[in-house]
Amino acid sequence: MKIAVLAGDGIGPEVTREAVRVLEALRLPDLVLMEGDVGGVATKRHGTPLPAETLEMARTCDAILFGAVGDPDCDHLDRHLRPEQAILGLRKELELFANLRPAKLFNGLEDASALRPEVASAIDLLIVRELNGDVYFGEKGIRTLPDGQRQGWDMMAYSESEVRRIAHVGFRAAQGRRGRLCSVDKANVLETSQVWRDVVTEVARDYPEVELSHMYVDNAAMQLVRNPGQFDVVVTGNLFGDILSDQASMCVGSIGLLASASLGEGSRGLYEPIHGSAPDIAGQGKANPMATILSAAMLLRHSLHLEDQASRIETAVAKALADGVRSGDLGGTMGTAAIGDAILERL
Ligand code: IPM
Ligand code: MG
């Protein structure tokens, strides 16, 4: 079982270190961890955010544990040299098209949510975000208009097959949960979304036991803070999923808690916290490693089929939170390593 550990930039190395400690504590036989450079660190060392050797390592591993990428020092570079291209490149090159982002309120965190406790405590949802298409991967550019102004443009597009395969993931996820799927789009304005909605509706015929609804993304953003308990599985495109998952994270207390799995057709996957590199607190040992530790649990579940070990980690995190273990993002004072220790003790 080979795992590529790609820690990346900012707080990436700090939070990844704690997740690696947790994986190692499980003493799994045959577990091999390999490290590779990605992001701004890789651009500085190798002149590219996703070096060929890192991509090759990722290809030959069973799973990838990813920290974060993003570095303000690189923001002036051409887009293909920016740290974010590392994660976009891995998702695309490995055809990891399905991003699972669960959000559930942990016991004891009712007061950490940006929402009222009685609203927040009902949250138990899964965002299924498409990851290989949309405006993220369309043609883009900056051109000069006849009047001399610059105009930035990005092409948004979804083909039927791209929508179909993510819709199946959404429906199957709903089958394994409470049987409800909400497809989020902007079909009242965008043709991309019209095709999305039509295809999701077609795929629904294969899943008569799943209750499908459609919602415009503006309404979904509103419903997510008004009554998030109404959602079971939400399936949506790359851009809307990016935005709604950050929003969902604050509904359950902190962006430092949300884990994610990026999957393709096989069992290889990439696992990362949904938060970024947080350059403002990088290197200070105060980032919350829980999202990365929970991502490691998802790795064990989805790529290595070690459900027991995955739930052991999740239970340890839940216990730590119930016992009042809190980093700064949750109003506490504990540092990254102390949180790691607290989870290891409970494991
Ligand atoms: C995420 C991140 C990435 C995205 C960035 C770092 C490119 O925000 O995983 O949500 O936009 O997908
Ligand atoms: Mg994001």
Side-chain angles (χ1 to χ4, degrees):
M1 300 186 293
K2 282 200 284 183
I3 300 180
V5 179
L6 310 179
D9 304 318
I11 59 169
E14 299 159 55
V15 293
T16 311
R17 191 173 307 127
E18 300 310 314
V20 165
R21 284 173 71 206
V22 168
L23 285 174
E24 285 175 341
L26 294 174
R27 307 217 174 284
L28 302 170
D30 313 322
L31 186 71
V32 181
L33 301 175
M34 295 150 68
E35 289 183 16
D37 288 334
V38 280
V41 167
T43 302
K44 283 173 193 154
R45 287 195 195 140
H46 311 272
T48 166
L50 182 56
E53 50 273 38
T54 303
L55 182 57
E56 192 47 34
M57 181 192 295
R59 268 190 213 289
T60 53
C61 279
D62 299 293
I64 301 142
L65 181 67
F66 193 93
V69 288
D71 178 351
D73 289 352
C74 298
D75 285 350
H76 64 282
L77 298 176
D78 281 353
R79 191 160 296 280
H80 72 280
L81 292 175
R82 295 208 205 154
E84 290 78 5
Q85 295 305 311
I87 185 62
L88 298 175
L90 282 165
R91 291 170 181 171
K92 191 75 174 176
E93 290 292 328
L94 303 179
E95 262 199 89
L96 304 169
F97 66 88
N99 189 214
L100 312 183
R101 299 189 160 186
K104 184 176 187 321
L105 192 81
F106 282 98
N107 282 335
L109 283 190
E110 292 75 9
D111 293 322
S113 170
L115 306 178
R116 287 196 310 278
E118 68 274 19
V119 178
S121 55
I123 303 176
D124 181 2
L125 59 86
L126 172 70
I127 296 179
V128 175
R129 169 189 176 195
E130 200 289 331
L131 222 48
N132 279 182
D134 204 352
V135 70
Y136 268 62
F137 291 98
E139 268 185 68
K140 58 184 77 219
I142 298 175
R143 61 194 166 204
T144 307
L145 296 175
D147 67 0
Q149 303 183 66
R150 280 169 310 144
Q151 184 189 50
W153 60 277
D154 301 84
M155 152 108 152
M156 176 182 266
Y158 263 124
S159 64
E160 288 181 60
S161 56
E162 285 174 316
V163 181
R164 196 167 292 116
R165 65 181 183 176
I166 194 70
H168 280 289
V169 175
F171 280 104
R172 286 198 300 265
Q175 278 180 322
R177 292 174 48 104
R178 301 194 301 281
R180 283 185 289 119
L181 179 66
C182 178
S183 171
V184 169
D185 64 34
K186 188 67 187 172
N188 51 347
V189 178
L190 304 172
E191 295 297 6
T192 313
S193 282
Q194 190 58 56
V195 170
W196 176 280
R197 188 174 282 224
D198 293 347
V199 174
V200 172
T201 306
E202 279 165 36
V203 173
R205 291 188 209 123
D206 294 347
Y207 302 87
E209 70 287 11
V210 174
E211 185 193 313
L212 171 68
S213 60
H214 299 278
M215 200 180 274
Y216 297 137
V217 63
D218 49 349
N219 185 23
M222 188 265 277
Q223 296 297 337
L224 200 53
V225 291
R226 192 188 76 90
N227 173 20
Q230 72 186 282
F231 295 109
D232 180 12
V233 180
V234 172
V235 65
T236 190
N238 208 344
L239 181 64
F240 300 155
D242 179 45
I243 299 167
L244 293 177
S245 55
D246 267 35
Q247 191 184 339
S249 73
M250 282 318 291
C251 298
V252 294
S254 167
I255 195 160
L257 292 172
L258 250 66
S260 84
S262 303
L263 306 171
E265 297 292 355
S267 62
R268 184 180 50 210
L270 180 150
Y271 302 83
E272 55 170 332
I274 81 153
H275 62 67
S277 56
D280 54 326
I281 57 162
Q284 299 172 32
K286 55 186 189 189
N288 185 353
M290 286 179 170
T292 316
I293 292 170
L294 292 168
S295 298
M298 292 186 89
L299 180 156
L300 296 172
R301 170 173 300 122
H302 294 283
S303 286
L304 305 184
H305 311 292
L306 295 170
E307 175 59 38
D308 284 357
Q309 314 286 16
S311 354
R312 276 183 64 196
I313 295 178
E314 288 162 352
T315 306
V317 171
K319 272 200 194 127
L321 286 167
D323 292 346
V325 168
R326 299 276 187 282
S327 41
D329 55 324
L330 291 170
T333 54
M334 287 174 72
T336 312
I339 303 261
D341 290 342
I343 293 169
L344 281 169
E345 266 167 44
R346 286 157 181 86
L347 192 71

